[in-house]
Amino acid sequence: AAMWVVYDKTDDSLYVTGTTTYFGEISDDLPPPKENGNCYHDMCAVTMRLSAKDGSTDWIRTAKGSPRWNFFDQTGDIQLANDLDGPYVYVALDDVGEDGLVTLDEGTSYAGCRDADGVLTPEHLISPSKVVTAEDCPIGSTFVPRSAADALPAADAATEAKCGTGHETVDACIIKYHKYTGLPI
């Protein structure tokens, strides 16, 4: 369920945060459980960037757990960083990681440029100030879109960004994502 949305007029994008569940048991008496290639758990907090022009998905990041929005405790939020901070989006999630540390390196893959030796330079190392396209790749390299099978999987970004069991076992998390790539900072 999409619970919070913020519009970025500088690049005509929508940033959405919400939660989704994929509970279910396989049974002849029940419809098949939902599947999602970006959520590897029964319940995920989801943050994503969408095009406000056509609704296409730029990136998705997930984390194990539920933000539990609209309950009596914390309700979460999503906000754009100010111009002095840079191209980031901040997400507040309550109860993500309440059962221990959870990685923030989940979701859609990263685009990049693959050189002649086969080495992929991920988009977040190419340009921090815009969405990387084929025009940003050096001569002799090939652009690899996020949707390609050989794009950099989110888990391979290895940012080591995590939520959960923080200061005095607090189970809420404030996450800073790079708005053009979704890289957790």
Side-chain angles (χ1 to χ4, degrees):
M3 300 308 281
W4 295 103
V5 178
V6 64
Y7 174 68
D8 186 349
K9 65 182 177 184
T10 64
D11 61 5
D12 209 19
S13 294
L14 295 171
Y15 296 88
V16 180
T17 192
T19 187
T20 189
T21 56
Y22 293 93
F23 296 116
E25 296 178 20
I26 297 174
S27 167
D28 292 335
D29 300 330
L30 300 170
K34 295 186 253 180
E35 293 181 18
N36 183 306
N38 295 307
C39 175
Y40 309 109
H41 316 284
D42 289 340
M43 190 177 305
C44 282
V46 179
T47 303
M48 66 182 91
R49 174 186 157 112
L50 306 171
S51 167
K53 293 178 185 176
D54 63 14
S56 61
T57 302
D58 286 332
W59 54 260
I60 298 172
R61 295 291 165 256
T62 60
K64 180 182 179 183
S66 171
R68 293 192 188 179
W69 287 292
N70 297 332
F71 281 82
F72 62 90
D73 59 355
Q74 306 299 320
T75 60
D77 200 4
I78 187 167
Q79 295 289 323
L80 296 172
N82 69 38
D83 292 339
L84 296 175
D85 189 26
Y88 301 104
V89 59
Y90 288 91
V91 179
L93 302 173
D94 182 43
D95 296 328
V96 167
E98 66 185 343
D99 294 327
L101 288 174
V102 296
T103 182
L104 300 179
D105 287 329
E106 291 185 353
T108 53
S109 296
Y110 294 96
C113 299
R114 187 170 306 284
D115 68 17
D117 295 326
V119 176
L120 180 73
T121 301
E123 61 186 309
H124 54 273
L125 298 178
I126 296 170
S127 176
S129 60
K130 66 186 202 99
V131 174
V132 172
T133 65
E135 290 76 34
D136 300 306
C137 290
I139 294 173
S141 64
T142 304
F143 179 68
V144 179
R146 294 174 181 146
S147 59
D150 60 342
L152 181 72
D156 290 354
T159 66
E160 298 186 24
K162 296 182 179 9
C163 280
T165 316
H167 174 70
E168 297 179 18
T169 66
V170 173
D171 61 358
C173 192
I174 297 176
I175 306 165
K176 181 178 185 178
Y177 289 109
H178 184 261
K179 73 178 194 176
Y180 299 118
T181 64
L183 186 75
I185 304 300

